[in-house]
């Protein structure tokens, strides 16, 4: 008790300092909000608010899209509400020479002064947009409301009745193209009678036809050859539409049929100084979709660019075509520039584990073209040291880690029984890895040997990605455990911690896994399933494996793990405005040990809390269920589980410069499938798990440097399922900074 009192006094002091600072911040916002018009010239107005409203009932138009067309928008609002950049700018003085005033202005945003000419222009743009959507008689007006030096502008929409297509004709003057497009069959056409007239629809049809023809040999075709003739029917809201596709014409020449080109030859050259191609001819051909004897195809051209672009040894690709005179033949020239094959990199880093400072460094050798097929071979040597302090009862040893990892990656499928069409259609990599890791701690020594063979692939035309771990082997060996650790935790008769003992025994894992991911920018789905030990369990009956004292089958005198594990993760982005987004996230994971295992391996168990989970708790400090940790030295083992739920809601907003902000609410927990004596209250029960969901909330600051994001999240507990008093159950009503506040630093977004 006495040893902790200085920390408590210090935390109380921090609370006394934090709350007044928070009040001062609120007063600052209030005062600055009154100064928003400080730099608005006399006789002019600050554009405070812009609204777009459809005053015609029964007609739907997309207000959010139309509002984005308004030429003059109010000052930026944080989280769609607070004009903090304007208020920061307004805090500066009139003297623009003073450095402090310049600093405030660079951090803030000048007031948007209302411009009547831009308002008139915006009304005209909105009118034109509505007419382009088929509302040919649309009218748009605007009204201004003035309050002191602020002005609100309200644009009113009167779309009128939409116009529809009555008769649609395709007039294709090139007979070959007419047959190719099958214009006599209405089912093959993009525009049909009865559709609402829409300029975007017409442009989409022009692009559709252009794409078809570019992929069918029409090398010189462009959408300017396609025009539309529209005639409105007087007294009605119908339009007769004719699509006209004109013949080919060059300058003063007569019109003729559009030329259709065939690929004559494909040749390769080097763009490097040595003029030597560093790739095998079979690799060049397998990644080239432009094929001699076939019609020119823009799609095949882009696929060729994409394929060469993903080869690690290729720096850039340039593809050009040369026309044969007096013929419709094209010669294709593929020029490739390559990186240097070999490179060596050195990466130092600092570490901090629970206050124990350390350093690590890695040395990596990489060859990008080891077999002249853009295969990547790498070897990484890594060493780490950490000074461990405060570990009572152990020799003054520190943590040391040394590892070597080698990888060989092929930019294609290395597998039998796959069709050539499938292999060419998919972007795939095959990877083999081998790693040996040596860890020495004061409590124990651990050795880990891993080998894996996996595939990753995706279809170039879709948003989905796949991964298959065809086979992964992990061998964990504990050559030494200190007597103190063994006596206190592993052999003490009063200690029944089966989970702890299991994770300090030799272990062998042989697993298979499959993952799927989909991301279209609006929502994302990730799923993964893996299973281990099933093949070994089948083999045990035939090969008669020996058993240990617990009845587990052993391979090489080691009990192997057997389990199945599945995870599903969903993320949805909702755009509020140009600066603000709401992100919804949910994740569910279940792992079940069976057969040769009654406990999951530690690396496969779930934990909760931390920068990517429920941020009111530090990492590995929440759950399982309502379990209350009491032994800090082994709670990192006890606070793990077989089931995990995470639900997150985050409001993200761009602030200024590279700075983004976030407000978040998190909920979740972990549970065990079986009941363990050392995790009381941790078992999952359908009638109790909702009451055991932990809830946290907080604020986040993110530095977005495009190529990476630094994230600082400050979380507070709101509902704590692991409580000993009613006040601890609902920290949101009884907050204590020293108990409920958690700070997180991370790289990248949480989801």
């Amino acid at each position: 008790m006495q040893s902790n009192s200085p920390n408590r006094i210090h935390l109380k002091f921090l609370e006394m300092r934090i709350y007044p600072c928070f009040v001062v911040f609120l007063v600052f916002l209030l005062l600055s909000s009154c100064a928003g018009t400080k730099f608005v010239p006399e006789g002019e107005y600050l554009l405070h608010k812009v609204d777009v409203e459809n005053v015609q009932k029964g007609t739907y138009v997309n207000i959010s899209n139309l509002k984005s067309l308004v030429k003059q928008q109010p000052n930026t609002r944080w989280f769609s509400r607070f004009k903090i950049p304007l208020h920061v700018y307004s805090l500066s003085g009139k003297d623009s020479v003073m450095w402090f005033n310049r600093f405030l202005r660079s951090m803030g945003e000048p007031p948007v002064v209302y411009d009547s000419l831009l308002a008139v222009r915006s009304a005209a743009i909105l009118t034109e947009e509505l007419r382009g959507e088929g509302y040919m008689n649309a009218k748009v007006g605007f009204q201004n409301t003035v309050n002191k030096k602020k002005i609100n502008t309200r644009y009113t929409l009167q779309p009128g009745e939409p116009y529809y297509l009555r008769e649609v004709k395709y007039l294709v003057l090139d007979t070959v193209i007419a047959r190719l497009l099958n214009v006599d069959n209405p089912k093959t056409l993009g525009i049909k009678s009865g559709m609402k007239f829409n300029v975007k629809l017409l442009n989409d049809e022009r692009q559709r036809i252009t794409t078809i023809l570019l992929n069918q040999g029409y090398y010189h075709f462009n959408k300017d050859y396609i025009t539309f003739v529209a005639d409105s029917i007087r007294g009605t809201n119908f339009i007769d539409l004719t699509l006209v596709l004109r013949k080919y014409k060059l300058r003063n020449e007569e019109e003729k049929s559009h030329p259709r080109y065939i690929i004559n030859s494909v040749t390769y050259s080097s763009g490097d100084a040595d003029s030597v191609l560093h790739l095998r001819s079979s690799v060049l051909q397998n990644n080239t979709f432009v094929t001699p004897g076939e019609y020119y195809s823009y799609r095949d051209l882009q696929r060729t660019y994409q394929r060469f672009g993903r080869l690690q040894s290729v720096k850039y690709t340039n593809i050009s075509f040369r026309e044969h005179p007096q013929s419709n033949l094209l010669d294709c020239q593929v020029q490739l520039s390559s990186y240097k094959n070999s490179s060596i990199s050195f990466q130092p880093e600092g570490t901090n584990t629970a206050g124990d400072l350390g350093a690590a460094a890695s040395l990596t050798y990489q060859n990008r073209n080891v077999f002249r097929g853009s295969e990547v071979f790498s070897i990484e040597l890594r060493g780490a040291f950490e000074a461990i302090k405060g570990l009572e009862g152990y020799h003054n040893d520190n943590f040391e880690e040394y590892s070597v990892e080698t990888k060989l990656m092929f930019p294609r499928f290395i597998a039998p029984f796959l069709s050539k069409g499938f292999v060419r259609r998919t972007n795939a990599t095959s990877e083999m890895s081998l790693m040996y890791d040596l860890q020495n701690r004061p409590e124990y020594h651990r050795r880990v040997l891993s080998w894996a063979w996996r595939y990753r692939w995706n279809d170039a035309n879709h948003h989905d990605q796949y991964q298959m771990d065809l086979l992964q082997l992990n061998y964990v060996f504990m050559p030494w455990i200190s007597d103190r650790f063994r006596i206190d935790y592993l052999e003490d008769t009063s200690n029944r911690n089966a989970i702890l003992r299991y994770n300090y025994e030799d272990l062998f894992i042989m697993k298979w896994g499959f993952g799927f991911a989909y991301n279209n920018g609006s929502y994302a789905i990730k799923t993964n399933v893996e299973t281990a030990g099933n093949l070994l369990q089948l083999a045990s009956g035939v090969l008669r494996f020996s058993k240990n004292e617990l009845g587990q089958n052993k391979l090489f005198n080691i009990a192997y793990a057997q389990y199945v594990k599945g995870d599903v993760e969903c993320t949805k982005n909702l755009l509020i405005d140009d600066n603000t987004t709401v992100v919804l996230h949910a994740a569910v994971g279940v792992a079940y040990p069976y057969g040769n295992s009654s406990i999951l391996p530690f690396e496969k168990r779930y934990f909760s809390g931390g920068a990517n989970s429920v941020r009111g708790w530090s990492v590995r400090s929440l759950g399982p269920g309502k379990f209350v940790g009491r032994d800090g030295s082994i709670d990192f083992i006890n606070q793990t589980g077989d089931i995990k739920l995470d639900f997150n809601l985050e409001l993200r907003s761009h602030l200024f410069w590279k700075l983004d902000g976030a407000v978040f609410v998190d909920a979740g927990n972990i549970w065990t499938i079986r009941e363990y004596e050392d995790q009381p209250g941790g078992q999952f029960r359908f009638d109790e798990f909702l009451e055991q969901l932990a809830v946290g909330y907080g604020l986040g600051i993110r530095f977005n440097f495009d190529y990476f994001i630094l994230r600082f999240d400050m979380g507070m507990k709101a509902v704590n399922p692991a409580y000993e008093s009613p006040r601890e159950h609902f920290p949101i009503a009884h907050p204590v900074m020293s108990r409920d506040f958690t700070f997180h630093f991370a790289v990248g977004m949480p989801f």
Side-chain angles (χ1 to χ4, degrees):
M1 295 287 292
Q2 291 180 353
S3 62
N4 293 330
S5 57
N7 291 332
R8 294 187 177 181
I9 293 173
H10 179 65
L11 289 169
K12 286 290 185 181
F13 178 71
L14 284 177
E15 290 181 48
M16 295 173 62
R17 295 290 301 272
I18 289 173
Y19 288 126
C21 291
F22 184 71
V23 173
V24 171
F25 179 69
L26 291 179
V27 173
F28 160 76
L29 291 182
L30 180 62
L31 293 177
S32 62
S33 65
C34 300
T37 59
K38 178 178 177 179
F39 290 97
V40 176
E42 193 64 33
E44 299 193 37
Y45 302 96
L46 172 72
L47 183 60
H48 178 64
K49 188 178 181 181
V50 169
D51 284 323
V52 177
E53 182 182 356
N54 181 13
V55 297
Q56 180 177 316
K57 295 182 179 180
T59 302
Y60 172 78
V61 292
N62 193 323
I63 296 295
S64 60
N65 286 347
L66 292 172
K67 191 172 182 179
S68 66
L69 299 176
V70 175
K71 301 301 293 182
Q72 192 177 33
Q73 300 287 349
N75 286 96
T76 302
R77 297 174 185 262
W78 287 8
F79 302 105
S80 298
R81 187 168 183 84
F82 306 106
K83 295 184 178 181
I84 304 300
L86 171 62
H87 302 329
V88 171
Y89 187 95
S90 299
L91 286 175
S92 66
K94 297 287 187 178
D95 187 356
S96 60
V97 178
M98 292 182 60
W99 72 268
F100 185 68
N101 292 335
R102 295 200 308 271
F103 171 75
L104 289 175
R105 294 185 183 188
S106 65
M107 295 290 289
E109 183 181 79
V112 176
V113 179
Y114 172 75
D115 188 330
S116 59
L117 293 179
L118 289 179
V120 173
R121 185 180 175 191
S122 296
I125 291 174
L126 293 175
T127 303
E128 190 65 26
E129 177 66 19
L130 287 174
R131 290 175 179 174
E133 293 181 9
Y135 300 97
M136 306 303 294
N137 299 318
K139 297 179 181 179
V140 177
F142 65 92
Q143 296 85 35
N144 294 323
T145 304
V146 177
N147 182 12
K148 296 181 180 179
K149 294 195 70 174
K150 298 180 180 179
I151 191 170
N152 297 334
T153 302
R154 176 172 170 263
Y155 294 89
T156 56
L157 313 180
Q158 292 180 310
E161 293 297 322
Y163 275 63
Y164 293 89
L165 299 178
R166 189 187 69 167
E167 185 178 8
V168 177
K169 294 181 180 179
Y170 278 65
L171 181 59
V172 180
L173 302 179
D174 188 313
T175 56
V176 176
I177 291 180
R179 289 194 299 270
L180 186 65
L181 297 177
N182 196 12
V183 295
D184 294 330
N185 185 358
K187 294 182 179 180
T188 65
L189 307 181
I191 302 176
K192 299 178 178 62
S193 176
M195 287 183 170
K196 189 173 78 169
F197 179 81
N198 192 313
V199 172
K200 182 179 181 300
L201 179 68
L202 306 187
N203 289 330
D204 289 345
E205 181 65 358
R206 291 177 76 196
Q207 187 59 55
R208 186 186 74 88
I209 293 175
T210 301
T211 301
I212 291 175
L213 297 181
L214 285 175
N215 292 330
Q216 293 291 333
Y218 292 92
Y219 176 64
H220 287 300
F221 191 86
N222 63 73
K223 62 182 180 181
D224 291 336
Y225 285 105
I226 303 174
T227 57
F228 291 94
V229 178
D231 293 324
S232 59
I233 311 302
R234 180 174 296 182
T236 70
N237 61 338
F238 289 103
I239 292 177
D240 288 341
L241 184 72
T242 301
L243 181 147
V244 181
L245 194 153
R246 294 180 287 105
K247 286 188 173 184
Y248 184 71
K249 183 177 182 180
L250 282 178
R251 295 186 179 91
N252 297 325
E253 296 181 4
E254 294 183 357
E255 289 186 344
K256 60 180 180 179
S257 297
H258 287 269
R260 194 177 187 186
Y261 289 86
I262 295 175
I263 303 298
N264 179 63
S265 65
V266 178
T267 57
Y268 304 90
S269 64
S270 173
D272 301 321
D274 56 12
S275 299
V276 176
L277 281 170
H278 299 279
L279 297 175
R280 301 191 308 271
S281 59
S282 60
V283 175
L284 295 172
Q285 294 168 7
N286 288 336
N287 287 280
T288 303
F289 292 85
V290 179
T291 307
E294 295 186 359
Y295 286 115
Y296 163 84
S297 171
Y298 179 77
R299 178 179 58 246
D300 291 343
L301 173 64
Q302 294 304 308
R303 291 174 69 186
T304 303
Y305 270 117
Q306 292 172 0
R307 279 302 183 89
F308 280 110
R310 58 186 295 272
L311 297 182
Q312 295 289 322
S313 64
V314 176
K315 183 187 298 184
Y316 68 82
T317 307
N318 181 47
I319 304 176
S320 59
F321 294 91
R322 185 180 65 87
E323 297 182 46
H324 279 231
Q326 306 302 320
S327 72
N328 291 351
L329 297 177
L330 291 175
D331 288 333
C332 177
Q333 176 72 32
V334 181
Q335 187 181 62
L336 303 173
S337 180
S338 303
Y339 289 103
K340 291 183 178 180
N341 284 353
S342 300
S343 64
I344 297 178
S345 61
F346 177 75
Q347 180 71 40
E349 60 182 276
T351 62
N352 184 348
T353 305
D356 295 331
L357 300 179
S362 61
L363 182 68
T364 304
Y365 166 80
Q366 186 180 72
N367 189 313
R368 294 187 177 92
N369 197 24
V370 63
F371 301 129
R372 295 185 63 239
S374 197
E375 302 89 355
V376 179
F377 174 75
S378 65
I379 298 178
E380 179 181 347
L381 303 176
R382 187 177 187 275
F385 174 85
E386 200 166 83
I388 298 179
K389 61 182 184 295
L391 196 60
E392 299 180 1
Y394 295 87
H395 296 295
N396 190 24
D397 293 333
N398 298 304
F399 170 73
E400 296 178 355
E401 181 180 14
Y402 306 97
S403 67
V404 55
E405 182 177 15
T406 179
K407 292 182 180 179
L408 179 59
M409 186 184 71
F410 300 87
R412 55 191 177 276
F413 273 114
I414 304 296
F417 313 120
L418 295 177
S419 67
K420 184 177 180 181
F422 175 77
V423 172
R424 283 175 60 84
R425 188 174 65 251
T426 55
N427 297 328
T429 59
S430 305
E431 180 185 296
M432 181 178 66
S433 63
L434 178 65
M435 188 269 290
Y436 178 73
D437 185 65
L438 179 151
Q439 304 172 16
N440 290 341
R441 287 186 58 90
E443 311 97 318
Y444 58 83
H445 292 174
R446 186 195 299 266
R447 310 289 185 260
V448 180
L449 179 65
S450 299
W451 179 88
W453 180 268
R454 61 176 58 92
Y455 299 105
R456 295 185 180 92
W457 73 95
N458 69 286
D459 193 313
N461 300 322
H462 297 87
H463 303 287
D464 45 8
Q465 295 181 336
Y466 305 87
Q467 175 176 318
M468 176 184 290
D469 292 330
L470 187 64
L471 185 63
Q472 182 172 339
L473 307 177
N474 292 280
Y475 172 46
V476 181
F477 175 55
M478 306 289 294
W480 176 83
I481 297 177
S482 71
D483 293 337
R484 178 62 183 271
F485 188 80
R486 187 186 302 276
I487 293 171
D488 287 352
Y489 295 109
L490 304 182
E491 295 180 353
D492 188 356
T493 56
S494 63
N495 180 13
R496 304 297 181 184
N497 198 322
I499 298 176
L500 182 66
R501 290 198 303 273
Y502 179 74
N503 286 283
Y504 288 93
E505 297 175 351
D506 297 344
L507 182 66
F508 183 74
I509 302 175
M510 178 179 176
K511 82 176 186 72
W512 172 92
F514 180 81
F516 167 78
Y518 178 89
N519 190 341
N520 66 358
S522 177
Y523 65 90
I525 299 174
K526 293 181 181 179
T527 63
N528 187 75
V529 61
E530 65 179 70
T531 182
N534 296 322
L535 291 177
L536 295 176
Q537 192 74 350
L538 289 174
S540 65
V542 178
L543 302 179
R544 299 186 180 276
F545 290 172
S546 61
K547 296 181 180 293
N548 60 18
E549 63 276 7
L550 299 178
Q552 295 173 302
N553 294 313
K554 296 192 299 181
L555 178 67
F556 308 125
N557 206 34
I558 303 171
Y560 55 84
Q562 189 174 8
Y563 65 88
V564 62
K565 182 179 181 181
D567 298 272
V568 179
E569 183 177 353
C570 301
T571 305
K572 173 65 177 178
N573 295 326
L574 301 174
L575 186 65
I576 304 301
D577 56 40
D578 292 340
N579 291 319
T580 308
T581 305
V582 172
V583 183
L584 305 174
H585 173 260
V588 180
V590 179
Y592 179 67
Y594 62 96
N596 212 48
S597 298
S598 59
I599 301 171
L600 280 172
F602 178 72
E603 292 79 5
K604 301 301 178 182
R605 295 178 69 82
Y606 296 105
F607 62 88
S608 193
N612 300 322
S613 183
V614 186
R615 284 164 281 185
W617 281 257
S618 58
V619 64
R620 298 183 184 274
S621 66
L622 173 60
K626 56 184 179 181
F627 169 78
V628 179
R630 302 185 186 278
D631 189 344
S633 60
I634 62 171
D635 278 342
F636 74 99
I637 289 285
N638 283 332
Q639 297 202 259
T640 58
D642 311 317
I643 301 173
K644 181 175 182 178
L645 293 178
D646 265 342
F647 304 98
N648 313 88
L649 185 151
E650 187 167 284
L651 177 65
R652 300 171 181 171
S653 182
H654 175 68
L655 304 182
F656 56 85
W657 184 54
K658 300 291 185 178
L659 200 64
D660 297 338
V663 178
F664 57 82
V665 177
D666 304 322
N669 207 334
I670 56 172
W671 294 267
T672 60
I673 291 179
R674 296 183 174 92
E675 185 172 0
Y676 300 104
E677 292 183 9
D678 298 282
Q679 295 175 306
Q683 187 179 23
F684 180 87
R685 300 183 185 277
F686 280 102
D687 58 344
E688 296 181 0
F689 84 95
L690 289 177
E691 299 175 0
Q692 295 174 4
L693 285 176
V695 181
Y697 62 97
L699 300 173
I701 298 294
R702 290 86 191 272
F703 289 90
N704 189 345
F705 296 104
D706 297 330
Y707 49 92
F708 75 98
I709 296 173
L710 294 180
R711 176 162 55 94
F712 303 90
D713 285 341
M714 296 159 283
M716 288 286 292
K717 296 180 179 67
V719 179
N720 185 3
Y723 61 92
E724 295 180 335
S725 67
R727 295 177 66 89
E728 293 180 357
H729 190 192
F730 296 102
I732 191 171
H734 310 284
V736 178
M737 291 293 294
S738 60
R739 181 194 66 193
D740 303 324
F741 175 80
T742 306
F743 177 79
H744 303 280
F745 167 72
V747 176
M749 286 299 195
F751 39 81

